[in-house]
Amino acid sequence: MDIEAEAKKLLLENRRTTGEYQYIIPSADHYPYQWLWDSCFHSIILAKFEPTAAKAELRALLSKQFENGLIPHIIYWSPGVLHLFRWGVEGTSSLTQPPMLAYAAWETHKRDLDTPFLQSIFPSLVSYYRFLLTERDPHGHHLASIINPDESGEDNSPRFDTPLGVTPGVSLKDHLGKRTELVDKNRECNFDAGKCMRDFFWVKDVLFNTVLVENLRALSKIAGYLEHAEYEHAFMRDADAVAGAMRERMLEDGIYWSTMGAEFTKLKTATWAHFVPLFAGLYTPPEAEVVVREHLLNPETFYASFGIRTTSKAEPAYRPHADDFSWRGPSWMAAHWFIYHGLKRYGFSKEADDIRAKSVGLLEKSGFRECFDPETGEGLGAHGFTWGALVLDMMEE
Ligand code: GLC
C-alpha cells in the first residue's frame, strides 16, 4: 500500500467547499461536517504538500468563532441538516475541542512563510486562548476546564465516567444520551461557566491542558514572529503557569491524572492520557523513563500487538472491540501521533519508530478506519477516516 498516495487521495476526496470556505470532513459515512481538532490535524499534514489548503482549513475553522472567543468543535456548514450532534447554537456546536489551533497555525507557517495570513488569524487565536484561560478558569487556578467529555476529543473515554455519572459497563448509546443531557443543562445555564455550568461537569483534563500548554508556546512563537513582544511574553508565562498548575494538582505517583470539581479530585482511571504530557515535555526525564517503561510498554495495561490501548486492559471499562467508535480500549491514530512526538521529544527513538510501524501496520491491515481493535488490528467505526494521514507526520524530517 502506498500510504502517502492513499492519504493524499483521501484528503482530497473528503474536501468540501461551502461558499468561500474550504474544509475537510473526517469521514463521509460518519462525520460529514467540520471538526476542530480534526481540521488542525488536516492542516498539519496539508502544510507539507499543499499549504494553501492548510490555510483554507484554518480559515474555515475560525470563521464561526463565538463573540466570547470559543471556537466550536463542529461546524455543520450545510443548512438544515438534522443530526444527533446538532448541539446548542444554530450552525455549530456549543462546545470546543482540544485547542490544537496555534500549533497547527505555526506548523503551517513554518512550511509556508505567509506573514499576512498569520497576521490575519492572530486576533482570533488570541481571543480563543484568552477565552480558555479566563472563562474556563473563572477562579484563576491556571487550568482550563472542560464542560463535556466531547471537549476532550475522547467522547466516551472512561476517564469521565465518574463526573458523568455512568458505570464502567455503560452502553455507548446510554453514554451518548448522558452527554447530550449535559449540553441541555448547560444550555439552560446559558453556558455561564462561573455560575451554574460547573455544577454539572467540571473537569480539568490532562490531555486538554497539555495541548493548551504546547499551544500557548506556539502562540507565543507566533506573537514573537509578528513582533508583539507583550503577547509573546504573556503567553509564555501562561504556558508556564498551566504547566506548573498541572504538576501541582494532577501529578500523583509519577503519573498525571485528570481531576474533577473544586476539590481537584483525581479521576483514577488509567487511560492513554498518562502519555500525553510527554508531548509537551511535562515529565522530568527520570519520570518519563518510568512512564514509558512501566506503563506504555506494559502488555498487561497499554501495549498491545497492534497498537496502544486508549484504556488500560486492567480497567473494568476496557473493551477492545465495540460496535461503533470508542475510546474505551481501541487504538486511535491521533493517540499514536501524540505519543510518537512525545517519545521523540525525550529521545526514545526506538520506541517512537515502533509506534510509527504499528500505525503503518494498522493502515495496511485495515485501511483508513476511525479506530482499531488493538489486539487484532481490525478496523472499527467510520470508514475513509482522515486521521490515518497523520502517519505522514510521523516520518523523520
Ligand atoms: C469522534 C472522535 C472525535 C473526533 C470526531 C470527528 O467523535 O471522538 O475526537 O473529533 O469523531 O472525527
Side-chain angles (χ1 to χ4, degrees):
M1 184 190 207
D2 181 345
I3 289 187
E4 187 171 339
E6 289 296 316
K8 288 180 177 172
K9 190 166 135 246
L10 178 62
L11 292 177
L12 211 53
E13 276 169 10
N14 285 8
R15 183 179 289 180
R16 299 287 182 274
T17 49
T18 303
E20 60 185 292
Y21 293 108
Q22 177 184 299
Y23 51 93
I24 293 172
I25 57 168
S27 146
D29 68 6
H30 270 56
Y31 302 106
Y33 315 120
Q34 185 176 15
W35 263 261
L36 196 166
W37 75 336
D38 301 63
S39 275
C40 295
F41 298 145
H42 299 154
S43 60
I44 292 165
I45 305 154
L46 289 167
K48 296 176 191 300
F49 58 91
E50 201 186 351
T52 315
K55 287 183 279 183
E57 192 84 7
L58 296 175
R59 208 178 286 117
L61 198 53
L62 293 170
S63 71
K64 301 285 181 191
Q65 184 161 33
F66 288 19
E67 252 172 44
N68 66 3
L70 178 140
I71 306 282
H73 94 299
I74 308 174
I75 304 177
Y76 296 101
W77 289 112
S78 7
V81 287
L82 255 187
H83 192 271
L84 207 49
F85 288 98
R86 195 175 179 100
W87 290 352
V89 185
E90 183 63 24
T92 71
S93 87
S94 40
L95 304 174
T96 192
Q97 244 185 352
M100 283 296 289
L101 263 156
Y103 182 99
W106 186 242
E107 283 300 300
T108 302
H109 183 73
K110 280 198 301 201
R111 291 186 165 76
D112 175 65
L113 299 177
D114 183 347
T115 306
F117 172 73
L118 208 54
Q119 248 152 4
S120 71
I121 63 169
F122 185 65
S124 296
L125 295 179
V126 169
S127 117
Y128 179 46
Y129 290 93
R130 282 257 163 276
F131 159 80
L132 295 174
L133 292 167
T134 53
E135 282 208 28
R136 291 305 182 85
D137 184 23
H139 297 293
H141 293 298
H142 303 296
L143 290 170
S145 305
I146 57 171
I147 57 164
N148 194 296
D150 287 71
E151 295 205 306
S152 74
E154 296 166 66
D155 320 3
N156 52 28
S157 169
R159 191 154 89 241
F160 310 112
D161 282 359
T162 304
L164 194 64
V166 299
T167 55
V170 64
S171 74
L172 297 183
K173 190 165 162 277
D174 289 350
H175 197 284
L176 178 61
K178 277 281 192 186
R179 280 147 51 214
T180 6
E181 229 174 74
L182 200 51
V183 176
D184 290 340
K185 286 186 188 157
N186 282 326
R187 197 180 309 131
E188 281 162 29
C189 289
N190 207 18
F191 292 95
D192 186 330
K195 291 220 178 78
C196 71
M197 232 156 70
R198 56 207 314 275
D199 296 342
F200 304 124
F201 183 98
W202 194 244
V203 169
K204 316 279 188 197
D205 186 43
V206 170
L207 182 144
F208 196 95
N209 281 280
T210 300
V211 166
L212 181 59
V213 170
E214 198 58 4
N215 275 261
L216 287 169
R217 290 174 183 152
L219 189 55
S220 167
K221 277 187 214 151
I222 294 174
Y225 178 84
L226 295 176
E227 298 181 3
H228 294 304
E230 262 176 49
Y231 280 127
E232 180 186 4
H233 299 133
F235 286 124
M236 202 42 109
R237 273 198 305 272
D238 289 331
D240 290 345
V242 177
M246 286 183 71
R247 181 155 273 275
E248 186 192 337
R249 309 272 192 187
M250 296 178 164
L251 196 68
E252 190 172 302
D253 298 331
I255 294 280
Y256 281 89
W257 303 92
S258 297
T259 74
M260 68 181 266
E263 306 298 319
F264 297 92
T265 310
K266 294 196 178 69
L267 300 169
K268 289 288 192 77
T269 307
T271 70
W272 76 283
H274 288 355
F275 313 122
V276 186
L278 297 168
F279 176 74
L282 300 179
Y283 286 114
T284 62
E287 284 166 356
E289 187 73 30
V290 175
V291 167
V292 171
R293 304 269 170 247
E294 291 185 12
H295 301 284
L296 182 71
L297 301 178
N298 183 347
E300 298 308 318
T301 54
F302 290 99
Y303 191 83
S305 315
F306 287 85
I308 300 303
R309 303 179 183 109
T310 44
T311 294
S312 162
K313 192 179 165 187
E315 286 291 340
Y318 179 65
R319 261 177 287 164
H321 203 100
D323 296 335
D324 200 2
F325 83 90
S326 156
W327 291 90
R328 304 174 83 84
S331 301
W332 290 69
M333 284 297 171
H336 278 192
W337 179 84
F338 278 107
I339 293 170
Y340 172 86
H341 286 287
L343 291 169
K344 281 278 187 197
R345 185 171 191 140
Y346 285 82
F348 291 104
S349 302
K350 198 165 64 60
E351 292 76 6
D353 288 348
D354 176 46
I355 297 294
R356 181 183 52 228
K358 281 189 159 44
S359 307
V360 168
L362 286 170
L363 294 179
E364 281 173 344
K365 183 176 164 65
S366 300
F368 287 71
R369 295 298 300 275
E370 185 173 4
C371 50
F372 305 85
D373 183 325
E375 321 298 338
T376 65
E378 191 190 327
L380 305 165
H383 296 80
F385 193 69
T386 51
W387 292 15
L390 281 170
V391 294
L392 303 190
D393 193 51
M394 293 190 216
M395 306 288 169
E396 216 52 76
E397 295 276 320

